[in-house]
Amino acid sequence: MKKTSPHIVVIFGASGDLTKRKLIPALFNLHQQNLLGHPFAILGVSRTEMTDTMFREKMMEFLPDNETSADFIGHLYYESLQTSDEADYPRLKERIDDLRREINAPANILFYLSTPPNLYPLIPKHLANVGLNNESDGFKRLIIEKPFGSNLESARHLNRDLLQYFEEDQLYRIDHYLGKETVQNLLVLRFSNSLWEPLWNHKYIDHVQITSSESLGVEKRGGYYDHSGALRDMVQNHLLQMLAMVAMEPPTVINADAIRNEMLKVFQSIRPLKKENLQEDVVRGQYTSSHIKGEAVAGYREEEGVDPESRTETFVAMRLNIDNWRWGGIPFYIRTGKKLPTRVTEIVINFKPTPHHLFDAALNGTTAPNQLIIRIQPDEGILMKMGLKVPGAGFMVQTVNMGFHYSDLSDAYVPTAYERLLLDCIHGDATLYSRGDNVEKAWEIVQPIIDEWDTNPDFPLHGYPAGTWGPLATDELMAAHPSGWRYPCKNLNNDGEYCEL
Ligand code: BG6
């Protein structure tokens, strides 16, 4: 394990939800494992007036009540700041300098931007004005939370703005899906086994499905979500990143540039979506009121902060093609939605059927082609579905499961995505962060859909009752594949049932 240099983490947006729910607990976990090194300090910054003590007490509510937490909060400090006001930044610099002297740390500073996105271009500019981008006395790194732009143009703008004040290797664009242990395991599964790579192409794979379903609705985030929708919230980032990891070529080495170059090549090979085919390739849905487990559930338009006539999508499914040597002719289907029957993220590799059909299915059984299911969450693991003989007379085939569950590694500690990513940034490892050109390319892929939805009021917006698997049109996307979508359950091994309603 790499040694962690002394450092200060400065969190902009420290009074926000992400800080208390994800960032502080992640930093605490790192400290508990002795991974944050010594000395270190965490300086919360936001407009709210608060003292260090008040900030510590507030953060304590999200930490366990034990001695390590008491020690950890001693490393927390707070400074109230008009984040958009340039005049406040000399004071921030002074505070950071004082803190460095107090804890005796060099000027290694990680700035975490977790503010409303309109401040993303401003903060780096103001930091640069007081020299807080200068690395001559220690590293200065900037983590930028999503959303990184709201379309291709704004993402390009933001990249341009950031690069005026910081170098690309100081920028860490976060996509927390890349921090998930199971997403990283995709690389290990693919590239540390000789078993898969010969099969991982158009010759043996029929199609790939990527599903990220959530049972929750928009909760208290209606105001944000109504201007975002599932395409911007999940597809442009998390789903496309997973797709790139499934489809990429083996990198020559594991480092930030090698991996990000390969991911970029996947994005560059995705066939651009054409306006005239969009209605065939993309399904847009929005949940409507219904009953789940006997309880009435509000529709999206009734949610707090949502326009009662909103046409924002809470569900997207689409077909993408990757025009390269490995994947020519093999469709990738992706879908994501809120208020679906269960919370599951998984990748399903559907292999081609055998060229010749020798055996019959057992009574009530199936002889479905092989599937490899890579479960990102929950019940994290890998499942292989294959046909085996039913014991007894004749040659009847039954599909059986062969699986690995992370939970079997009972003593392995699985870090949260934010833990992994924060530590990587402190170590200066950007492998699991998105590079500027990758983010722009991912926007380029979805931009034709954004344009069409913005300008064509006749593009269908299908309603689907909350608690179901989305619009019926989603099945039509899959018409060429008799086995259709896999309908996952919370437990990796179960499927085919309409579970957890
Ligand atoms: C976030 C989206 O990026 O990812 C949320 O803004 C979504 O809408 C969340 O709920 C899903 O993340 P996870 O880790 O719970 O799958």
Side-chain angles (χ1 to χ4, degrees), residues 240 267 270 273 320 440-449:
L240 287 180
F267 292 149
I270 291 182
L273 291 162
L320 291 168
E440 287 183 18
K441 203 68 206 175
W443 275 115
E444 215 173 300
I445 293 163
V446 298
Q447 191 61 44
I449 310 175

Side-chain angles (χ1 to χ4, degrees), residues 146 176-177 180 212 214 221 224-225 233-234 237-238 338 343 345 377:
K146 70 176 268 255
H176 80 279
Y177 264 60
K180 288 184 192 274
S212 191
E214 293 184 86
R221 298 164 73 222
Y224 150 77
Y225 195 88
D233 190 50
M234 293 291 291
N237 34 64
H238 310 324
K338 300 234 181 244
R343 173 177 179 259
T345 299
Q377 63 192 23

Side-chain angles (χ1 to χ4, degrees), residues 311-322:
R311 292 183 64 77
T312 299
E313 76 289 355
T314 59
F315 178 97
V316 183
M318 67 171 86
R319 175 177 33 233
L320 291 168
N321 287 283
I322 302 177

Side-chain angles (χ1 to χ4, degrees), residues 109-339:
I109 307 169
L110 188 169
F111 299 101
Y112 198 113
L113 307 197
S114 169
T115 61
N118 61 326
L119 294 172
Y120 289 177
L122 283 184
I123 297 171
K125 178 173 174 218
H126 298 336
L127 288 174
N129 279 344
V130 293
L132 282 172
N133 59 346
N134 185 324
E135 295 201 287
S136 57
D137 54 355
F139 69 69
K140 307 289 177 302
R141 299 182 184 135
L142 202 61
I143 299 188
I144 304 124
E145 251 306 322
K146 70 176 268 255
F148 195 91
S150 57
N151 55 24
L152 176 59
E153 197 194 336
S154 57
R156 278 184 179 150
H157 245 282
L158 181 53
N159 269 334
R160 263 201 307 269
D161 287 345
L162 294 172
L163 287 168
Q164 275 188 51
Y165 308 107
F166 284 78
E167 300 294 326
E168 176 64 39
D169 65 7
Q170 293 176 283
L171 299 175
Y172 290 72
R173 299 168 191 82
I174 206 163
D175 183 316
H176 80 279
Y177 264 60
L178 293 181
K180 288 184 192 274
E181 189 65 29
T182 40
V183 173
Q184 293 151 38
N185 189 41
L186 245 170
L187 292 180
V188 181
L189 173 83
R190 285 194 57 198
F191 303 132
S192 77
N193 296 294
S194 54
L195 175 66
W196 303 114
E197 213 33 40
L199 307 179
W200 212 263
N201 57 53
H202 65 99
K203 287 192 199 134
Y204 298 99
I205 292 177
D206 181 73
H207 70 281
V208 176
Q209 300 176 12
I210 302 178
T211 295
S212 191
S213 66
E214 293 184 86
S215 48
L216 291 179
V218 287
E219 309 303 299
K220 299 266 171 257
R221 298 164 73 222
Y224 150 77
Y225 195 88
D226 211 30
H227 293 103
S228 165
L231 187 70
R232 291 181 169 95
D233 190 50
M234 293 291 291
V235 176
Q236 184 274 340
N237 34 64
H238 310 324
L239 272 82
L240 287 180
Q241 296 290 342
M242 284 191 283
L243 180 146
M245 282 216 171
V246 174
M248 70 194 247
E249 295 302 314
T252 39
V253 285
I254 295 291
N255 70 27
D257 266 332
I259 291 197
R260 299 189 301 181
N261 286 345
E262 295 307 333
M263 290 172 82
L264 179 65
K265 283 188 218 160
V266 174
F267 292 149
Q268 287 166 335
S269 320
I270 291 182
R271 187 182 305 162
L273 291 162
K274 288 213 176 76
K275 182 178 167 61
E276 57 273 25
N277 299 335
L278 277 181
Q279 294 198 21
E280 279 161 39
D281 289 335
V282 182
V283 176
R284 167 168 76 154
Q286 188 187 78
Y287 63 83
T288 55
S289 59
S290 84
H291 284 80
I292 301 181
K293 293 184 184 153
E295 267 185 39
V297 177
Y300 175 68
R301 292 178 183 182
E302 285 111 56
E303 301 277 18
E304 193 187 318
V306 171
D307 177 352
E309 295 188 11
S310 172
R311 292 183 64 77
T312 299
E313 76 289 355
T314 59
F315 178 97
V316 183
M318 67 171 86
R319 175 177 33 233
L320 291 168
N321 287 283
I322 302 177
D323 288 336
N324 66 15
W325 199 271
R326 185 186 286 266
W327 296 113
I330 304 304
F332 280 67
Y333 297 90
I334 61 184
R335 68 178 164 169
T336 182
K338 300 234 181 244
K339 282 271 184 250

